[in-house]
Amino acid sequence: MTNTDFDFLAGTWDSVQRRLVKVLAGQDEWYEFDATLDCQVLFGGTGVLDVLRAPERGYEGVALRLFSPDEQVWRIWWASKNTGGVLDNPVVGRFEGTVGTFECDDVWEGTPIRVRYRWSQTDTEHPRWEQAFSTDDGATWEVNWTADFTRRA
């Protein structure tokens, strides 16, 4: 089985990351930092592994994506140095055209939430990723982290 959903991400990227200072607090103060992403597409496209690094913030994380041909969905796990290398609950979803949407239930600082990752602009030179949380089962979303990517020459 071959899958090309994440082929756009293979390689090395520079990115501008933006995160909310305080999540689920009804505020709009962001901080911004630069990061790099190194991505490998594996297993004929059904596996994707990438490492995100932001040295000036002391930040490093790993995303593991695995595609289930039987279910026709991706599961995406995230782990970072800041969380002791523990894998988060996987977000699950698929691409519709050039937009990929992946969700799961989780808990943020004691509050049950719905988590959404969304990949967009995947057919351009500058793909975009965002993370959003919902406390009302997806009726409304707060985007709390975005990343805009530029392929490294």
Side-chain angles (χ1 to χ4, degrees), residues 42-134:
L42 309 165
F43 314 140
T46 61
V48 180
L49 179 68
D50 64 53
V51 178
L52 180 76
R53 292 181 179 94
E56 71 277 2
R57 296 210 58 93
Y59 193 76
E60 189 171 32
V62 175
L64 171 64
R65 301 173 184 86
L66 296 174
F67 184 74
S68 169
D70 294 339
E71 299 171 277
Q72 293 291 296
V73 297
W74 285 94
R75 284 183 177 75
I76 304 172
W77 291 266
W78 171 255
S80 74
K81 180 172 78 171
N82 299 351
T83 59
V86 175
L87 289 172
D88 283 348
N89 291 334
V91 291
V92 180
R94 64 177 48 89
F95 278 85
E96 299 291 334
T98 60
V99 176
T101 304
F102 313 91
E103 298 182 8
C104 76
D105 293 319
D106 208 337
V107 176
W108 175 263
E109 296 181 348
T111 300
I113 60 168
R114 187 97 181 131
V115 177
R116 180 183 71 200
Y117 292 178
R118 179 168 287 154
W119 279 98
S120 60
Q121 303 173 161
T122 60
D123 60 342
T124 74
E125 294 295 313
H126 301 283
R128 180 180 179 85
W129 173 86
E130 72 176 33
Q131 174 181 272
F133 292 169
S134 174

Side-chain angles (χ1 to χ4, degrees), residues 20-27 107-114 132-136 140-144:
L20 273 179
V21 170
K22 189 148 176 71
V23 174
L24 298 177
Q27 60 88 22
V107 176
W108 175 263
E109 296 181 348
T111 300
I113 60 168
R114 187 97 181 131
F133 292 169
S134 174
T135 57
D136 55 14
T140 60
W141 293 92
E142 176 187 83
V143 174
N144 57 58

